[in-house]
Every structure is written in structure tokens, then in C-alpha cells.
Amino acid sequence: MTGSTPSSVLTTTQRKDVLMRRGIIALAAAGLLAVTGLTACGDDDGGDGGSADKKPKIGVILPDSKSSARWETADRKYLEEAFKSAGVDYDIQNAQNDKNAFQTIADQMISSGVTALMIVNLDSGTGKAVLDKAKQQGVATIDYDRLTLGGSASYYVSFDNVAVGKLQGEGLTKCLTAMNKTKPVVAYLNGSPTDNNATLFKQGYDGVIKAKFDAGEFTKGPDQSVPEWDNAQAQTIFEQMFTTTGGKIDGVLAANDGLGNSVINVLKKNNLNGKVPVTGQDATVQGLQNILAGDQCMTVYKAIKKEADAAAELAIALAKGEKKDTGKTVKDVEGNRDVPAVLLEPQSITKENVKAVVADGFVTKAELCTAAFAAKCTEAGI
């Protein structure tokens, strides 16, 4: 018998072939649906947002506790308050200026399941390595206070650091003018060369003072950076400046209060404290006391609570897999990208308005107005 065989009379072998073909088609269809489902539901955001199916947890790496008291006395406190208020898990650690520890802490946090990581880098190289690793693991990141050049953070939260430097330059100019200094020799004691903020501060104050140099109104003195914002090194550096110039330094642009206090220590040894204006930044208790004593010209107050609250809000959103529009960007010149940013405005503080820092709750009257400064605080209206 020849010709096709009706389906009703298929042989056993033929029925097996038909069933096999149907199975292959069904598997292929199931595979196609699986791929289509991944494409539709997947969210390959490169670490820009935390995974929505993970419990939100935020990791924060602070840089040290030596260069400035703010990291432990202010930033940690305000960040903890914000995270507790939001009811999210968090882990805040301090690298204590150790690059290896910084990377180890980051690895531990990523392994522990953080869904957002906020860092204050020790330098852009170390920061970039940590940010890139976090991104590879799908962890969203924020640069806090310091921008990591060439990095990959989703956000940058800081103060307008060029504006900080501008306030320092204007403050020193006012103090020198008030002292009727003629062609004063101005020395720069800059922050760490590996900190992008230090570069921005200098851009700000040099933008003010360079015009005075160019016009012959001020005389340019020594100009040196302090590795890792180390106050002990700063004192040694300024002692060398003082010696090489024969003590002919009439004003010092010190990039923060710690460096400023190092300068003041040298000036005190030479009975010149209060006679040579010195700037600062961070409105530390020590810096404010130096201002009350007349040994420091000014400082720059940065409302750390506002900075911490802004960063915490973004970190909480990222940890939950959400994004927010900051409405502003800063240029990462090494990475050639515009980084979404929150930039807060700084405030100049002199003896006339030290009380504003106390009124804002940044330092307490008890901390500032110790026995040695009680009368000075009363004079300042505190």
C-alpha cells in the first residue's frame, strides 16, 4: 500500500515523532516568553538605583576624624538622625584616612547588601575604584562633600566650594584693609592636593586675591598645599614659610580652621597672633574661639545639617530604587560628564556674627563659651 497515512492510523513510531516535535515547539515558545519577560521587566540601570526587591540599606564612608572635627561631631550625627527618622537600615564607618581601610569598608558594605553607598573620598583614585565596584554590583552611589573625578556616582551633594573660597578671599581682604596694611605679603596654606574641594576653594580665593596681586596692592608670598589636610604638617610648613621670609608675612589664607590654628600656633610663638589675619573654614569650636580671641580673621560656616539632610534624602530614594531630579549639575572634567548635584550656600563668619552659628545649633554655647571665653562670648552677644 502506497500514499500518505491518515492520522487516525499513525504507527507508534510516527506518533512519537509528532509528540516530540510538539514538545520542541512548546519549549521554544516558553523560552521566547522568558526572554521577552526579562526585557520588559529588567532594569539595567548600572547601579543608578537600588534594587526594589532588596531591603533598603545605606552605607556611608567618612574620610577621617583628624583633618576636621565635623565628620564625627556633625556629619555622622545628622546622617544618623535622618536615616533613623526614615526607618531605613544604615552603616556609617570612618576610614581614618587609610586608603586600604576605605576599600575594605566598601567591600564589606557591598557584601552586606547595602543598596546605596555614600562616600567622602580620600582621593579621586581610591574613590573611583570603590564607586566603579559598587556600580558593577548594582549598588547606587553618592559623592558626599567631595566630587570623585572620573567617578560614577549618581549624585554629588556639597556646598558651592568656589563660593567658599571666594568668601575666604573677601574676608582676608577686609581684615587686611581694616589693619591698614600696605602691600601686605599674603601666604596661601592650601588644602590637600588630592582633594578636589581644595582645588575649588583655591579657585575661589585666588579669584579674589590674584587681582590684588596683579594691581600691586598685595604682594604674593609662599603658596603651598598641605598633604591630607594634616594639621601637624601644616604647622611645619608654615614655620618654614615664616623662616624663609624672615617673618615677613602679613596675612594667611588658610583653607580651613585646622590649618588656620596651625598658623596661629606659629604666630603665637613669635608674638604675632592677632597681628596677622588668618582665615579658616568649617566653623569649628576651635576656629570660633580663635575668632573671639582676635587670633583668626574669619571662618566659613557650612550648615552641615542641610548638607546631610539633602544627601540622606537622595540616598534613601536610591536605596529604594527611586531617583530624584536635583535641577542642577556639576561638571566632572576627568569623566567628561555632568553629575546631578545639590550645592548649598556657605556663610562668612566673623566676630560680629559668631552668634549665628550658635543660634543655628551647629555648636552649643556650653562648648564655645568655656571659662576662658565666657567674657568674649558675652561681648559677642552669645
Side-chain angles (χ1 to χ4, degrees):
M1 185 174 181
T2 60
S4 61
T5 305
S7 59
S8 58
V9 290
L10 289 173
T11 66
T12 301
T13 301
Q14 288 173 323
R15 280 198 297 271
K16 287 182 179 179
D17 288 342
V18 170
L19 288 172
M20 184 178 292
R21 286 197 295 271
R22 286 176 181 172
I24 291 170
I25 292 169
L27 285 170
L32 178 61
L33 285 172
V35 171
T36 304
L38 284 172
T39 303
C41 300
D43 183 16
D44 183 13
D45 60 8
D48 286 340
S51 175
D53 60 356
K54 288 184 179 179
K55 185 178 180 182
K57 182 179 179 181
I58 300 166
V60 179
I61 310 178
L62 300 175
D64 64 82
S65 55
K66 187 177 178 182
S67 67
S68 179
R70 63 165 283 191
W71 303 116
E72 288 297 329
T73 62
D75 297 87
R76 178 186 288 273
K77 176 177 71 173
Y78 294 134
L79 288 169
E80 283 182 343
E81 289 175 356
F83 296 147
K84 285 179 181 177
S85 178
V88 298
D89 289 343
Y90 65 90
D91 181 9
I92 302 176
Q93 296 190 45
N94 195 313
Q96 297 299 352
N97 200 37
D98 185 324
K99 294 177 185 178
N100 290 328
F102 192 98
Q103 292 179 316
T104 299
I105 291 170
D107 288 343
Q108 292 171 345
M109 287 182 172
I110 293 170
S111 297
S112 75
V114 297
T115 52
L117 178 65
M118 185 190 308
I119 70 166
V120 187
N121 71 54
L122 297 180
D123 60 65
S124 286
T126 306
K128 174 176 166 50
V130 165
L131 292 173
D132 288 350
K133 186 165 188 177
K135 184 175 182 178
Q136 290 169 4
Q137 298 296 318
V139 177
T141 53
I142 294 175
D143 270 331
Y144 182 59
D145 201 72
R146 299 173 183 169
L147 180 65
T148 301
L149 297 177
S152 54
S154 301
Y155 295 106
Y156 168 54
V157 181
S158 189
F159 284 83
D160 184 334
N161 292 311
V162 174
V164 169
K166 184 178 179 184
L167 291 178
Q168 291 174 315
E170 291 171 345
L172 185 61
T173 298
K174 287 179 182 177
C175 289
L176 288 168
T177 301
M179 291 181 172
N180 296 313
K181 300 276 189 177
T182 303
K183 292 188 176 181
V185 176
V186 175
Y188 285 176
L189 198 60
N190 312 301
S192 175
T194 59
D195 182 354
N196 186 58
N197 281 4
T199 301
L200 298 176
F201 300 147
K202 186 173 184 180
Q203 181 182 329
Y205 53 72
D206 206 34
V208 174
I209 298 177
K210 187 175 183 298
K212 298 290 185 180
F213 292 150
D214 293 343
E217 296 175 34
F218 291 178
T219 303
K220 186 169 178 58
D223 178 351
Q224 201 162 335
S225 297
V226 180
E228 300 176 344
W229 293 93
D230 186 88
N231 297 328
Q233 287 192 64
Q235 186 161 329
T236 299
I237 290 169
F238 186 70
E239 283 175 338
Q240 292 169 347
M241 287 182 176
F242 193 83
T243 300
T244 56
T245 59
K248 296 188 182 301
I249 293 177
D250 302 298
V252 184
L253 197 305
N256 75 357
D257 288 347
L259 304 188
N261 191 66
S262 296
V263 170
I264 291 167
N265 287 338
V266 177
L267 294 176
K268 282 179 177 178
K269 291 179 184 178
N270 293 277
N271 297 314
L272 288 173
N273 54 305
K275 299 174 184 178
V276 177
V278 180
T279 65
Q281 176 189 177
D282 290 336
T284 62
V285 169
Q286 184 180 65
L288 295 174
Q289 288 177 338
N290 281 335
I291 289 174
L292 291 173
D295 294 337
Q296 186 168 321
C297 164
M298 58 81 69
T299 189
V300 178
Y301 171 48
K302 300 182 295 189
I304 306 300
K305 186 176 190 307
K306 292 180 180 178
E307 182 183 19
D309 285 349
E313 182 181 354
L314 290 174
I316 291 165
L318 285 177
K320 295 179 178 179
E322 303 166 0
K323 291 185 181 180
K324 289 183 177 290
D325 182 9
T326 63
K328 184 179 293 186
T329 62
V330 296
K331 189 73 175 180
D332 173 1
V333 293
E334 286 191 15
N336 192 30
R337 70 185 188 110
D338 295 317
V339 185
V342 175
L343 298 180
L344 303 163
E345 287 301 312
Q347 180 183 2
S348 179
I349 299 295
T350 62
K351 190 179 292 186
E352 287 67 36
N353 65 341
V354 166
K355 60 185 178 183
V357 184
V358 179
D360 206 33
F362 185 67
V363 300
T364 66
K365 182 177 179 179
E367 289 172 321
L368 183 63
C369 304
T370 56
F373 296 93
K376 296 292 185 182
C377 280
T378 301
E379 289 174 17
I382 301 170

